[in-house]
Amino acid sequence: MLCVGIFCVVKMMKQKKKLLVTASTFPRWEDDTEPRFILDLVSHMTNQFQVTVLVPAAPGAKDREILEGVEVIRYHYFPIHKWETLCYPGAIVPRIKQKKIRIL
């Protein structure tokens, strides 16, 4: 807001459109070994969009954080969080082939 004397002008800031990206592979923390191609892609979109990434939770990872200007929300998919091993490390299909119980 800009005020001169008793007159105030409210400068309307153009709000960015919101963009939600979902992925099954995403870095769990900074300098993680998981592929970061989704983070690389969306971090370049933050100048045009308010970007939120929705990804599976992983043991040791924060449920919510900001990485490189991107809001990251990690959802829990199993009641016992330490057993959320379907997605990390690596991709889902090889993890299921490794242990068939993960398909449940």
Side-chain angles (χ1 to χ4, degrees):
M1 183 164 40
L2 173 65
C3 293
V4 178
I6 60 169
F7 299 100
C8 293
V9 178
V10 177
K11 182 178 178 183
M12 298 300 288
M13 296 188 64
K14 184 178 178 183
Q15 289 195 343
K16 295 178 185 178
K17 291 185 179 183
K18 295 179 180 183
L19 176 64
L20 175 64
V21 177
T22 61
S24 61
T25 302
F26 196 81
R28 297 165 289 183
W29 42 76
E30 205 156 324
D31 299 324
D32 189 13
T33 57
E34 288 297 315
R36 54 174 287 131
F37 59 94
I38 299 294
L39 179 58
D40 290 339
L41 175 67
V42 297
S43 66
H44 292 310
M45 303 173 91
T46 57
N47 59 342
Q48 296 293 321
F49 297 96
Q50 180 183 334
V51 182
T52 302
V53 178
L54 181 63
V55 295
K62 295 178 183 175
D63 287 345
R64 292 181 91 102
E65 68 179 318
I66 304 292
L67 282 177
E68 299 181 22
V70 175
E71 179 184 17
V72 180
I73 301 172
R74 294 185 179 86
Y75 62 89
H76 291 278
Y77 55 92
F78 197 76
I80 303 169
H81 296 181
K82 70 179 182 178
W83 290 356
E84 291 177 326
T85 59
L86 180 61
C87 301
Y88 303 103
I92 292 174
V93 173
R95 303 280 297 155
I96 290 173
K97 287 180 180 177
Q98 186 182 48
K99 286 187 179 179
K100 301 289 186 211
I101 192 77
R102 288 186 176 127
I103 203 162
L104 299 175

PDB file of all heavy atoms in Angstrom, residues 1-35:
ATOM      1  N   MET A   1       0.857  -1.159   0.000  1.00  0.00           N
ATOM      2  CA  MET A   1       0.000   0.000   0.000  1.00  0.00           C
ATOM      3  C   MET A   1       0.905   1.224   0.000  1.00  0.00           C
ATOM      4  O   MET A   1       1.867   1.306   0.741  1.00  0.00           O
ATOM      5  CB  MET A   1      -0.911  -0.041   1.227  1.00  0.00           C
ATOM      6  CG  MET A   1      -1.871   1.089   1.270  1.00  0.00           C
ATOM      7  SD  MET A   1      -3.270   0.912   2.422  1.00  0.00           S
ATOM      8  CE  MET A   1      -2.585   0.172   3.844  1.00  0.00           C
ATOM      9  N   LEU A   2       0.554   2.209  -0.818  1.00  0.00           N
ATOM     10  CA  LEU A   2       1.297   3.463  -0.917  1.00  0.00           C
ATOM     11  C   LEU A   2       0.404   4.578  -0.406  1.00  0.00           C
ATOM     12  O   LEU A   2      -0.708   4.749  -0.889  1.00  0.00           O
ATOM     13  CB  LEU A   2       1.692   3.711  -2.375  1.00  0.00           C
ATOM     14  CG  LEU A   2       2.323   5.061  -2.691  1.00  0.00           C
ATOM     15  CD1 LEU A   2       3.667   5.197  -1.990  1.00  0.00           C
ATOM     16  CD2 LEU A   2       2.468   5.234  -4.177  1.00  0.00           C
ATOM     17  N   CYS A   3       0.874   5.309   0.588  1.00  0.00           N
ATOM     18  CA  CYS A   3       0.074   6.382   1.174  1.00  0.00           C
ATOM     19  C   CYS A   3       0.774   7.723   0.998  1.00  0.00           C
ATOM     20  O   CYS A   3       1.972   7.847   1.241  1.00  0.00           O
ATOM     21  CB  CYS A   3      -0.168   6.144   2.656  1.00  0.00           C
ATOM     22  SG  CYS A   3      -1.208   4.710   2.974  1.00  0.00           S
ATOM     23  N   VAL A   4       0.002   8.706   0.548  1.00  0.00           N
ATOM     24  CA  VAL A   4       0.471  10.084   0.460  1.00  0.00           C
ATOM     25  C   VAL A   4      -0.584  10.931   1.150  1.00  0.00           C
ATOM     26  O   VAL A   4      -1.712  11.046   0.674  1.00  0.00           O
ATOM     27  CB  VAL A   4       0.667  10.526  -1.013  1.00  0.00           C
ATOM     28  CG1 VAL A   4       1.119  11.975  -1.074  1.00  0.00           C
ATOM     29  CG2 VAL A   4       1.636   9.611  -1.730  1.00  0.00           C
ATOM     30  N   GLY A   5      -0.221  11.522   2.292  1.00  0.00           N
ATOM     31  CA  GLY A   5      -1.208  12.277   3.058  1.00  0.00           C
ATOM     32  C   GLY A   5      -2.304  11.343   3.537  1.00  0.00           C
ATOM     33  O   GLY A   5      -2.032  10.313   4.131  1.00  0.00           O
ATOM     34  N   ILE A   6      -3.542  11.705   3.222  1.00  0.00           N
ATOM     35  CA  ILE A   6      -4.668  10.864   3.649  1.00  0.00           C
ATOM     36  C   ILE A   6      -5.131   9.918   2.548  1.00  0.00           C
ATOM     37  O   ILE A   6      -6.062   9.161   2.720  1.00  0.00           O
ATOM     38  CB  ILE A   6      -5.858  11.736   4.117  1.00  0.00           C
ATOM     39  CG1 ILE A   6      -6.345  12.636   2.990  1.00  0.00           C
ATOM     40  CG2 ILE A   6      -5.497  12.511   5.357  1.00  0.00           C
ATOM     41  CD1 ILE A   6      -7.659  13.317   3.290  1.00  0.00           C
ATOM     42  N   PHE A   7      -4.462   9.971   1.403  1.00  0.00           N
ATOM     43  CA  PHE A   7      -4.854   9.117   0.280  1.00  0.00           C
ATOM     44  C   PHE A   7      -3.947   7.890   0.214  1.00  0.00           C
ATOM     45  O   PHE A   7      -2.731   8.009   0.248  1.00  0.00           O
ATOM     46  CB  PHE A   7      -4.775   9.886  -1.048  1.00  0.00           C
ATOM     47  CG  PHE A   7      -5.695  11.063  -1.090  1.00  0.00           C
ATOM     48  CD1 PHE A   7      -5.224  12.347  -0.850  1.00  0.00           C
ATOM     49  CD2 PHE A   7      -7.040  10.890  -1.345  1.00  0.00           C
ATOM     50  CE1 PHE A   7      -6.067  13.434  -0.881  1.00  0.00           C
ATOM     51  CE2 PHE A   7      -7.901  11.969  -1.373  1.00  0.00           C
ATOM     52  CZ  PHE A   7      -7.413  13.246  -1.142  1.00  0.00           C
ATOM     53  N   CYS A   8      -4.549   6.767   0.133  1.00  0.00           N
ATOM     54  CA  CYS A   8      -3.800   5.516   0.045  1.00  0.00           C
ATOM     55  C   CYS A   8      -4.193   4.795  -1.238  1.00  0.00           C
ATOM     56  O   CYS A   8      -5.360   4.730  -1.598  1.00  0.00           O
ATOM     57  CB  CYS A   8      -4.083   4.620   1.238  1.00  0.00           C
ATOM     58  SG  CYS A   8      -3.462   5.276   2.781  1.00  0.00           S
ATOM     59  N   VAL A   9      -3.202   4.262  -1.892  1.00  0.00           N
ATOM     60  CA  VAL A   9      -3.414   3.477  -3.106  1.00  0.00           C
ATOM     61  C   VAL A   9      -2.916   2.068  -2.827  1.00  0.00           C
ATOM     62  O   VAL A   9      -1.792   1.868  -2.373  1.00  0.00           O
ATOM     63  CB  VAL A   9      -2.646   4.084  -4.301  1.00  0.00           C
ATOM     64  CG1 VAL A   9      -2.842   3.229  -5.542  1.00  0.00           C
ATOM     65  CG2 VAL A   9      -3.081   5.512  -4.535  1.00  0.00           C
ATOM     66  N   VAL A  10      -3.760   1.123  -3.062  1.00  0.00           N
ATOM     67  CA  VAL A  10      -3.379  -0.273  -2.881  1.00  0.00           C
ATOM     68  C   VAL A  10      -2.919  -0.801  -4.226  1.00  0.00           C
ATOM     69  O   VAL A  10      -3.674  -0.778  -5.201  1.00  0.00           O
ATOM     70  CB  VAL A  10      -4.561  -1.115  -2.342  1.00  0.00           C
ATOM     71  CG1 VAL A  10      -4.156  -2.576  -2.237  1.00  0.00           C
ATOM     72  CG2 VAL A  10      -5.030  -0.573  -1.004  1.00  0.00           C
ATOM     73  N   LYS A  11      -1.686  -1.207  -4.282  1.00  0.00           N
ATOM     74  CA  LYS A  11      -1.149  -1.769  -5.520  1.00  0.00           C
ATOM     75  C   LYS A  11      -1.552  -3.237  -5.579  1.00  0.00           C
ATOM     76  O   LYS A  11      -1.205  -4.021  -4.702  1.00  0.00           O
ATOM     77  CB  LYS A  11       0.373  -1.639  -5.551  1.00  0.00           C
ATOM     78  CG  LYS A  11       0.986  -2.155  -6.824  1.00  0.00           C
ATOM     79  CD  LYS A  11       2.492  -1.965  -6.817  1.00  0.00           C
ATOM     80  CE  LYS A  11       3.082  -2.534  -8.087  1.00  0.00           C
ATOM     81  NZ  LYS A  11       4.529  -2.436  -8.109  1.00  0.00           N
ATOM     82  N   MET A  12      -2.309  -3.600  -6.570  1.00  0.00           N
ATOM     83  CA  MET A  12      -2.756  -4.981  -6.724  1.00  0.00           C
ATOM     84  C   MET A  12      -1.631  -5.777  -7.380  1.00  0.00           C
ATOM     85  O   MET A  12      -1.208  -5.451  -8.481  1.00  0.00           O
ATOM     86  CB  MET A  12      -4.014  -5.052  -7.595  1.00  0.00           C
ATOM     87  CG  MET A  12      -5.207  -4.313  -7.008  1.00  0.00           C
ATOM     88  SD  MET A  12      -5.717  -4.933  -5.417  1.00  0.00           S
ATOM     89  CE  MET A  12      -6.426  -6.475  -5.908  1.00  0.00           C
ATOM     90  N   MET A  13      -1.160  -6.743  -6.646  1.00  0.00           N
ATOM     91  CA  MET A  13      -0.114  -7.592  -7.192  1.00  0.00           C
ATOM     92  C   MET A  13      -0.769  -8.736  -7.947  1.00  0.00           C
ATOM     93  O   MET A  13      -1.735  -9.322  -7.481  1.00  0.00           O
ATOM     94  CB  MET A  13       0.773  -8.130  -6.078  1.00  0.00           C
ATOM     95  CG  MET A  13       1.526  -7.045  -5.345  1.00  0.00           C
ATOM     96  SD  MET A  13       2.722  -7.693  -4.206  1.00  0.00           S
ATOM     97  CE  MET A  13       3.833  -8.524  -5.309  1.00  0.00           C
ATOM     98  N   LYS A  14      -0.244  -9.010  -9.111  1.00  0.00           N
ATOM     99  CA  LYS A  14      -0.759 -10.108  -9.906  1.00  0.00           C
ATOM    100  C   LYS A  14      -0.364 -11.419  -9.233  1.00  0.00           C
ATOM    101  O   LYS A  14       0.811 -11.681  -9.009  1.00  0.00           O
ATOM    102  CB  LYS A  14      -0.183 -10.052 -11.317  1.00  0.00           C
ATOM    103  CG  LYS A  14      -0.733 -11.090 -12.242  1.00  0.00           C
ATOM    104  CD  LYS A  14      -0.157 -10.948 -13.629  1.00  0.00           C
ATOM    105  CE  LYS A  14      -0.679 -12.035 -14.527  1.00  0.00           C
ATOM    106  NZ  LYS A  14      -0.089 -11.965 -15.854  1.00  0.00           N
ATOM    107  N   GLN A  15      -1.358 -12.226  -8.859  1.00  0.00           N
ATOM    108  CA  GLN A  15      -1.065 -13.492  -8.215  1.00  0.00           C
ATOM    109  C   GLN A  15      -0.763 -14.554  -9.266  1.00  0.00           C
ATOM    110  O   GLN A  15      -1.366 -14.587 -10.332  1.00  0.00           O
ATOM    111  CB  GLN A  15      -2.244 -13.937  -7.358  1.00  0.00           C
ATOM    112  CG  GLN A  15      -2.412 -13.091  -6.130  1.00  0.00           C
ATOM    113  CD  GLN A  15      -3.332 -13.756  -5.125  1.00  0.00           C
ATOM    114  OE1 GLN A  15      -4.071 -14.674  -5.456  1.00  0.00           O
ATOM    115  NE2 GLN A  15      -3.278 -13.287  -3.902  1.00  0.00           N
ATOM    116  N   LYS A  16       0.174 -15.412  -8.904  1.00  0.00           N
ATOM    117  CA  LYS A  16       0.536 -16.504  -9.801  1.00  0.00           C
ATOM    118  C   LYS A  16      -0.563 -17.564  -9.771  1.00  0.00           C
ATOM    119  O   LYS A  16      -1.213 -17.776  -8.757  1.00  0.00           O
ATOM    120  CB  LYS A  16       1.845 -17.152  -9.343  1.00  0.00           C
ATOM    121  CG  LYS A  16       3.043 -16.251  -9.412  1.00  0.00           C
ATOM    122  CD  LYS A  16       4.258 -17.000  -8.888  1.00  0.00           C
ATOM    123  CE  LYS A  16       5.462 -16.109  -8.828  1.00  0.00           C
ATOM    124  NZ  LYS A  16       6.626 -16.826  -8.270  1.00  0.00           N
ATOM    125  N   LYS A  17      -0.743 -18.222 -10.899  1.00  0.00           N
ATOM    126  CA  LYS A  17      -1.658 -19.356 -10.939  1.00  0.00           C
ATOM    127  C   LYS A  17      -1.013 -20.512 -10.183  1.00  0.00           C
ATOM    128  O   LYS A  17       0.202 -20.639 -10.117  1.00  0.00           O
ATOM    129  CB  LYS A  17      -1.934 -19.765 -12.382  1.00  0.00           C
ATOM    130  CG  LYS A  17      -2.758 -18.752 -13.135  1.00  0.00           C
ATOM    131  CD  LYS A  17      -3.104 -19.245 -14.508  1.00  0.00           C
ATOM    132  CE  LYS A  17      -3.957 -18.190 -15.207  1.00  0.00           C
ATOM    133  NZ  LYS A  17      -4.374 -18.639 -16.526  1.00  0.00           N
ATOM    134  N   LYS A  18      -1.859 -21.364  -9.617  1.00  0.00           N
ATOM    135  CA  LYS A  18      -1.376 -22.500  -8.853  1.00  0.00           C
ATOM    136  C   LYS A  18      -1.226 -23.713  -9.756  1.00  0.00           C
ATOM    137  O   LYS A  18      -2.057 -23.952 -10.629  1.00  0.00           O
ATOM    138  CB  LYS A  18      -2.330 -22.815  -7.705  1.00  0.00           C
ATOM    139  CG  LYS A  18      -2.394 -21.704  -6.687  1.00  0.00           C
ATOM    140  CD  LYS A  18      -3.357 -22.034  -5.570  1.00  0.00           C
ATOM    141  CE  LYS A  18      -3.393 -20.887  -4.580  1.00  0.00           C
ATOM    142  NZ  LYS A  18      -4.266 -21.198  -3.445  1.00  0.00           N
ATOM    143  N   LEU A  19      -0.157 -24.462  -9.526  1.00  0.00           N
ATOM    144  CA  LEU A  19       0.120 -25.663 -10.302  1.00  0.00           C
ATOM    145  C   LEU A  19       0.407 -26.805  -9.336  1.00  0.00           C
ATOM    146  O   LEU A  19       1.294 -26.699  -8.488  1.00  0.00           O
ATOM    147  CB  LEU A  19       1.337 -25.436 -11.215  1.00  0.00           C
ATOM    148  CG  LEU A  19       1.808 -26.632 -12.034  1.00  0.00           C
ATOM    149  CD1 LEU A  19       0.745 -27.057 -13.043  1.00  0.00           C
ATOM    150  CD2 LEU A  19       3.110 -26.289 -12.744  1.00  0.00           C
ATOM    151  N   LEU A  20      -0.367 -27.891  -9.445  1.00  0.00           N
ATOM    152  CA  LEU A  20      -0.155 -29.080  -8.626  1.00  0.00           C
ATOM    153  C   LEU A  20       0.450 -30.164  -9.508  1.00  0.00           C
ATOM    154  O   LEU A  20      -0.088 -30.497 -10.563  1.00  0.00           O
ATOM    155  CB  LEU A  20      -1.475 -29.583  -8.028  1.00  0.00           C
ATOM    156  CG  LEU A  20      -1.393 -30.894  -7.248  1.00  0.00           C
ATOM    157  CD1 LEU A  20      -0.524 -30.744  -6.009  1.00  0.00           C
ATOM    158  CD2 LEU A  20      -2.785 -31.373  -6.877  1.00  0.00           C
ATOM    159  N   VAL A  21       1.568 -30.703  -9.063  1.00  0.00           N
ATOM    160  CA  VAL A  21       2.254 -31.772  -9.794  1.00  0.00           C
ATOM    161  C   VAL A  21       2.301 -32.985  -8.878  1.00  0.00           C
ATOM    162  O   VAL A  21       2.651 -32.868  -7.705  1.00  0.00           O
ATOM    163  CB  VAL A  21       3.685 -31.338 -10.173  1.00  0.00           C
ATOM    164  CG1 VAL A  21       4.431 -32.469 -10.870  1.00  0.00           C
ATOM    165  CG2 VAL A  21       3.652 -30.093 -11.053  1.00  0.00           C
ATOM    166  N   THR A  22       1.925 -34.138  -9.408  1.00  0.00           N
ATOM    167  CA  THR A  22       2.025 -35.377  -8.637  1.00  0.00           C
ATOM    168  C   THR A  22       3.115 -36.245  -9.251  1.00  0.00           C
ATOM    169  O   THR A  22       3.332 -36.218 -10.466  1.00  0.00           O
ATOM    170  CB  THR A  22       0.695 -36.155  -8.619  1.00  0.00           C
ATOM    171  OG1 THR A  22       0.341 -36.505  -9.960  1.00  0.00           O
ATOM    172  CG2 THR A  22      -0.404 -35.325  -7.997  1.00  0.00           C
ATOM    173  N   ALA A  23       3.788 -36.998  -8.410  1.00  0.00           N
ATOM    174  CA  ALA A  23       4.871 -37.858  -8.891  1.00  0.00           C
ATOM    175  C   ALA A  23       5.067 -39.002  -7.905  1.00  0.00           C
ATOM    176  O   ALA A  23       4.705 -38.896  -6.738  1.00  0.00           O
ATOM    177  CB  ALA A  23       6.158 -37.059  -9.037  1.00  0.00           C
ATOM    178  N   SER A  24       5.643 -40.081  -8.378  1.00  0.00           N
ATOM    179  CA  SER A  24       5.963 -41.194  -7.488  1.00  0.00           C
ATOM    180  C   SER A  24       7.457 -41.240  -7.190  1.00  0.00           C
ATOM    181  O   SER A  24       7.884 -41.957  -6.287  1.00  0.00           O
ATOM    182  CB  SER A  24       5.514 -42.522  -8.114  1.00  0.00           C
ATOM    183  OG  SER A  24       6.184 -42.732  -9.337  1.00  0.00           O
ATOM    184  N   THR A  25       8.238 -40.492  -7.934  1.00  0.00           N
ATOM    185  CA  THR A  25       9.681 -40.413  -7.714  1.00  0.00           C
ATOM    186  C   THR A  25      10.046 -38.956  -7.502  1.00  0.00           C
ATOM    187  O   THR A  25       9.756 -38.111  -8.355  1.00  0.00           O
ATOM    188  CB  THR A  25      10.454 -40.966  -8.928  1.00  0.00           C
ATOM    189  OG1 THR A  25      10.055 -42.322  -9.142  1.00  0.00           O
ATOM    190  CG2 THR A  25      11.942 -40.913  -8.705  1.00  0.00           C
ATOM    191  N   PHE A  26      10.668 -38.677  -6.360  1.00  0.00           N
ATOM    192  CA  PHE A  26      11.014 -37.299  -6.023  1.00  0.00           C
ATOM    193  C   PHE A  26      12.076 -37.331  -4.934  1.00  0.00           C
ATOM    194  O   PHE A  26      12.048 -38.237  -4.085  1.00  0.00           O
ATOM    195  CB  PHE A  26       9.761 -36.561  -5.516  1.00  0.00           C
ATOM    196  CG  PHE A  26       9.891 -35.079  -5.504  1.00  0.00           C
ATOM    197  CD1 PHE A  26       9.710 -34.346  -6.666  1.00  0.00           C
ATOM    198  CD2 PHE A  26      10.205 -34.408  -4.335  1.00  0.00           C
ATOM    199  CE1 PHE A  26       9.827 -32.966  -6.658  1.00  0.00           C
ATOM    200  CE2 PHE A  26      10.327 -33.037  -4.314  1.00  0.00           C
ATOM    201  CZ  PHE A  26      10.131 -32.308  -5.486  1.00  0.00           C
ATOM    202  N   PRO A  27      13.004 -36.383  -4.928  1.00  0.00           N
ATOM    203  CA  PRO A  27      14.009 -36.378  -3.857  1.00  0.00           C
ATOM    204  C   PRO A  27      13.359 -36.291  -2.477  1.00  0.00           C
ATOM    205  O   PRO A  27      12.426 -35.527  -2.268  1.00  0.00           O
ATOM    206  CB  PRO A  27      14.827 -35.113  -4.143  1.00  0.00           C
ATOM    207  CG  PRO A  27      14.601 -34.825  -5.586  1.00  0.00           C
ATOM    208  CD  PRO A  27      13.215 -35.304  -5.888  1.00  0.00           C
ATOM    209  N   ARG A  28      13.854 -37.094  -1.554  1.00  0.00           N
ATOM    210  CA  ARG A  28      13.305 -37.106  -0.204  1.00  0.00           C
ATOM    211  C   ARG A  28      13.861 -35.974   0.642  1.00  0.00           C
ATOM    212  O   ARG A  28      13.231 -35.548   1.600  1.00  0.00           O
ATOM    213  CB  ARG A  28      13.615 -38.448   0.471  1.00  0.00           C
ATOM    214  CG  ARG A  28      12.956 -39.618  -0.256  1.00  0.00           C
ATOM    215  CD  ARG A  28      13.542 -40.931   0.173  1.00  0.00           C
ATOM    216  NE  ARG A  28      14.905 -41.044  -0.376  1.00  0.00           N
ATOM    217  CZ  ARG A  28      15.670 -42.110  -0.226  1.00  0.00           C
ATOM    218  NH1 ARG A  28      15.240 -43.141   0.469  1.00  0.00           N
ATOM    219  NH2 ARG A  28      16.874 -42.141  -0.750  1.00  0.00           N
ATOM    220  N   TRP A  29      15.035 -35.495   0.298  1.00  0.00           N
ATOM    221  CA  TRP A  29      15.700 -34.399   0.996  1.00  0.00           C
ATOM    222  C   TRP A  29      16.766 -33.842   0.070  1.00  0.00           C
ATOM    223  O   TRP A  29      17.021 -34.381  -1.005  1.00  0.00           O
ATOM    224  CB  TRP A  29      16.316 -34.878   2.321  1.00  0.00           C
ATOM    225  CG  TRP A  29      16.998 -36.204   2.208  1.00  0.00           C
ATOM    226  CD1 TRP A  29      18.222 -36.456   1.641  1.00  0.00           C
ATOM    227  CD2 TRP A  29      16.485 -37.474   2.610  1.00  0.00           C
ATOM    228  NE1 TRP A  29      18.499 -37.791   1.689  1.00  0.00           N
ATOM    229  CE2 TRP A  29      17.456 -38.441   2.279  1.00  0.00           C
ATOM    230  CE3 TRP A  29      15.310 -37.883   3.236  1.00  0.00           C
ATOM    231  CZ2 TRP A  29      17.278 -39.798   2.540  1.00  0.00           C
ATOM    232  CZ3 TRP A  29      15.142 -39.229   3.494  1.00  0.00           C
ATOM    233  CH2 TRP A  29      16.119 -40.168   3.155  1.00  0.00           C
ATOM    234  N   GLU A  30      17.385 -32.769   0.492  1.00  0.00           N
ATOM    235  CA  GLU A  30      18.431 -32.144  -0.317  1.00  0.00           C
ATOM    236  C   GLU A  30      19.600 -33.111  -0.492  1.00  0.00           C
ATOM    237  O   GLU A  30      19.968 -33.831   0.425  1.00  0.00           O
ATOM    238  CB  GLU A  30      18.911 -30.861   0.367  1.00  0.00           C
ATOM    239  CG  GLU A  30      19.490 -29.883  -0.622  1.00  0.00           C
ATOM    240  CD  GLU A  30      19.438 -28.460  -0.121  1.00  0.00           C
ATOM    241  OE1 GLU A  30      18.461 -28.101   0.548  1.00  0.00           O
ATOM    242  OE2 GLU A  30      20.375 -27.732  -0.413  1.00  0.00           O
ATOM    243  N   ASP A  31      20.171 -33.147  -1.695  1.00  0.00           N
ATOM    244  CA  ASP A  31      21.291 -34.027  -2.056  1.00  0.00           C
ATOM    245  C   ASP A  31      20.933 -35.511  -1.971  1.00  0.00           C
ATOM    246  O   ASP A  31      21.802 -36.360  -1.739  1.00  0.00           O
ATOM    247  CB  ASP A  31      22.529 -33.732  -1.186  1.00  0.00           C
ATOM    248  CG  ASP A  31      23.029 -32.313  -1.370  1.00  0.00           C
ATOM    249  OD1 ASP A  31      22.952 -31.796  -2.505  1.00  0.00           O
ATOM    250  OD2 ASP A  31      23.485 -31.706  -0.382  1.00  0.00           O
ATOM    251  N   ASP A  32      19.664 -35.837  -2.157  1.00  0.00           N
ATOM    252  CA  ASP A  32      19.216 -37.227  -2.162  1.00  0.00           C
ATOM    253  C   ASP A  32      19.678 -37.909  -3.451  1.00  0.00           C
ATOM    254  O   ASP A  32      19.902 -37.255  -4.472  1.00  0.00           O
ATOM    255  CB  ASP A  32      17.682 -37.274  -2.064  1.00  0.00           C
ATOM    256  CG  ASP A  32      17.137 -38.670  -1.833  1.00  0.00           C
ATOM    257  OD1 ASP A  32      17.927 -39.583  -1.506  1.00  0.00           O
ATOM    258  OD2 ASP A  32      15.915 -38.849  -1.949  1.00  0.00           O
ATOM    259  N   THR A  33      19.789 -39.230  -3.402  1.00  0.00           N
ATOM    260  CA  THR A  33      20.188 -39.990  -4.589  1.00  0.00           C
ATOM    261  C   THR A  33      19.012 -40.315  -5.506  1.00  0.00           C
ATOM    262  O   THR A  33      19.218 -40.789  -6.620  1.00  0.00           O
ATOM    263  CB  THR A  33      20.870 -41.312  -4.174  1.00  0.00           C
ATOM    264  OG1 THR A  33      19.965 -42.052  -3.351  1.00  0.00           O
ATOM    265  CG2 THR A  33      22.164 -41.049  -3.418  1.00  0.00           C
ATOM    266  N   GLU A  34      17.778 -40.072  -5.025  1.00  0.00           N
ATOM    267  CA  GLU A  34      16.607 -40.306  -5.878  1.00  0.00           C
ATOM    268  C   GLU A  34      16.642 -39.358  -7.076  1.00  0.00           C
ATOM    269  O   GLU A  34      17.100 -38.217  -6.952  1.00  0.00           O
ATOM    270  CB  GLU A  34      15.313 -40.077  -5.089  1.00  0.00           C
ATOM    271  CG  GLU A  34      15.014 -41.142  -4.070  1.00  0.00           C
ATOM    272  CD  GLU A  34      14.798 -42.515  -4.680  1.00  0.00           C
ATOM    273  OE1 GLU A  34      14.084 -42.643  -5.687  1.00  0.00           O
ATOM    274  OE2 GLU A  34      15.364 -43.470  -4.138  1.00  0.00           O
ATOM    275  N   PRO A  35      16.141 -39.797  -8.235  1.00  0.00           N
ATOM    276  CA  PRO A  35      16.128 -38.932  -9.410  1.00  0.00           C
ATOM    277  C   PRO A  35      15.392 -37.619  -9.130  1.00  0.00           C
ATOM    278  O   PRO A  35      14.342 -37.614  -8.502  1.00  0.00           O
ATOM    279  CB  PRO A  35      15.389 -39.756 -10.462  1.00  0.00           C
ATOM    280  CG  PRO A  35      15.560 -41.168 -10.024  1.00  0.00           C
ATOM    281  CD  PRO A  35      15.601 -41.126  -8.526  1.00  0.00           C
TER     282      PRO A  35
END
